[in-house]
Amino acid sequence: MRLATVNDGTRDGRLVVVSPDGAACAVSPVKTLQEALENWDDVAPRLASIVDFPDPIAPLRLMAPLPRAWQWLDGSVFASHGALMDKVLGIDKPPVSWPLMYQGVSDKFYGPSEDVRMPDEGLQIDFEGEFGIIVDAVPMGTSASDCMKHIKLVVQINDWSLRALAGPEMKSGFGWVQAKPPCSMAPFAVTTDELGDSWRNGRACLDLLVDWNGQRFGAANGEPMGYGFHELVAHACRTRDLVAGTVIGSGTVSNENFRECGSSCIAERRGIEIVDEGAPRTEFMRFGDTVRMQGTLPDGHAPFGAIEAKVVKA
């Protein structure tokens, strides 16, 4: 099942069920994805029973599937990315036996084709391609194995970053605020069965194709997560209940062979250049630049659709 949210003039939009070919949709029996998630056991069978899709999809009217959320938690669980970034930033943190995670801004997710507003090119604008999940209500202390059943939807995310602010905020020891503006989200949120064999061990094992200004930049696969999404949910709910609609991200998708498969963010590419050549060559994004992200299955099918965003001056 694939779900999307159409802009109907309200902040939370109108939930629709998407046809298998992604070209048409049907209005949901509940208005918003948040309402569906809060009543998932009752609503999901009704959504899944829809087989007639009378309305063509207008891509420019699509919002993020969940335009605003109660909570957005982002992990950093691709070891190849984390180790390279720590080396480049000069961060020497002790190893920990739990997944890294921060809480980011959740009151807005940009839609898949929405222009992304940034205040200043000098803040070093970067994209970060990720996969994510959305849960129903998760009780405090739920085990990782039991958390798997709370993963209701899988999504694709661009976690925008301002790198000039990221290093100083990280080194402060108190976390990110200014370095992390709102994320973008691909148009379709999908149930795990839509990914077939590419959903395994709590991981979205798809290639994430990233194109910057029309040129292929990366094609890393989501499988090498150091922790599965069920383990990220368990980490997040250790000391708190998670409200239905909590979004949890994987962190930047990265593979050990990043020199061959490419990267999902500019900072990683620059890090490789620093290690290999002594200095970065790749610049950060400028106003008017575009980035396209699309997670693809082995047969080329793109279950989430694509994020196609342009950076503009606020």
Side-chain angles (χ1 to χ4, degrees):
M1 180 166 59
R2 291 200 284 177
L3 304 175
T5 294
V6 175
N7 189 344
D8 66 350
T10 66
R11 287 197 62 179
D12 298 301
R14 186 69 171 85
L15 181 65
V16 297
V17 182
V18 180
S19 63
D21 64 3
C25 63
V27 172
S28 160
V30 296
K31 186 175 188 300
T32 67
L33 181 53
Q34 182 63 39
E35 183 180 353
L37 289 161
E38 290 173 354
N39 303 278
W40 190 258
D41 289 344
D42 172 60
V43 173
R46 296 160 63 194
L47 298 175
S49 69
I50 294 174
V51 294
D52 183 29
F53 304 95
D55 304 315
I57 281 190
L60 293 180
R61 290 190 61 213
L62 292 178
M63 306 170 74
L66 195 61
R68 53 178 175 165
W70 287 108
Q71 186 165 219
W72 155 240
L73 301 169
D74 197 17
S76 180
V77 295
F78 287 89
S80 54
H81 177 76
L84 181 63
M85 291 299 95
D86 286 350
K87 183 174 183 178
V88 170
L89 292 171
I91 296 174
D92 184 19
K93 57 178 180 282
V96 295
S97 58
W98 57 83
L100 299 178
M101 184 177 287
Y102 75 91
Q103 186 163 348
V105 59
S106 63
D107 59 351
K108 177 179 176 62
F109 283 90
Y110 283 105
S113 59
E114 191 174 355
D115 289 348
V116 175
R117 301 165 58 248
M118 296 289 184
D120 183 359
E121 290 178 344
L123 296 179
Q124 300 178 343
I125 302 165
D126 198 357
F127 48 80
E128 289 192 60
E130 306 190 9
F131 296 111
I133 53 95
I134 308 178
V135 298
D136 65 358
V138 185
M140 183 192 309
T142 302
S143 68
S145 58
D146 285 342
C147 282
M148 193 72 83
K149 66 186 179 185
H150 290 287
I151 297 173
K152 299 307 180 185
L153 296 167
V154 187
V155 292
Q156 178 191 305
I157 294 166
N158 183 355
D159 175 35
W160 295 96
S161 293
L162 300 173
R163 298 298 184 182
L165 302 174
E169 285 194 316
M170 288 177 69
K171 291 177 181 179
S172 74
F174 214 60
W176 283 329
V177 176
Q178 293 181 345
K180 290 293 185 177
C183 302
S184 298
M185 194 178 286
F188 306 137
V190 308
T191 48
T192 57
D193 61 289
E194 289 286 333
L195 305 184
D197 292 340
S198 293
W199 174 258
R200 54 185 180 268
N201 301 320
R203 293 157 170 84
C205 305
L206 293 81
D207 289 339
L208 183 57
L209 308 183
V210 180
D211 297 325
W212 180 13
N213 291 331
Q215 299 294 317
R216 179 58 41 85
F217 192 82
N221 190 277
E223 185 165 15
M225 292 173 66
Y227 296 87
F229 277 113
H230 57 304
E231 294 167 303
L232 294 183
V233 177
H235 176 74
C237 77
R238 181 186 177 194
T239 60
R240 67 180 82 176
D241 299 325
L242 299 184
V243 68
T246 296
V247 186
I248 299 179
S250 65
T252 305
V253 176
S254 176
N255 296 167
E256 292 287 348
N257 65 330
F258 40 50
R259 291 177 179 83
E260 290 76 41
C261 71
S263 298
S264 302
C265 70
I266 299 170
E268 185 173 281
R269 172 72 63 83
R270 286 169 59 90
I272 297 166
E273 293 166 351
I274 290 169
V275 170
D276 291 353
E277 305 170 33
R281 292 182 290 103
T282 303
E283 300 294 330
F284 288 101
M285 297 187 79
R286 302 290 186 185
F287 295 139
D289 280 7
T290 60
V291 63
R292 186 178 195 275
M293 297 180 177
Q294 181 173 269
T296 58
L297 297 169
D299 63 1
H301 178 57
F304 309 105
I307 298 172
E308 298 190 58
K310 181 169 68 174
V311 175
V312 299
K313 184 172 176 56

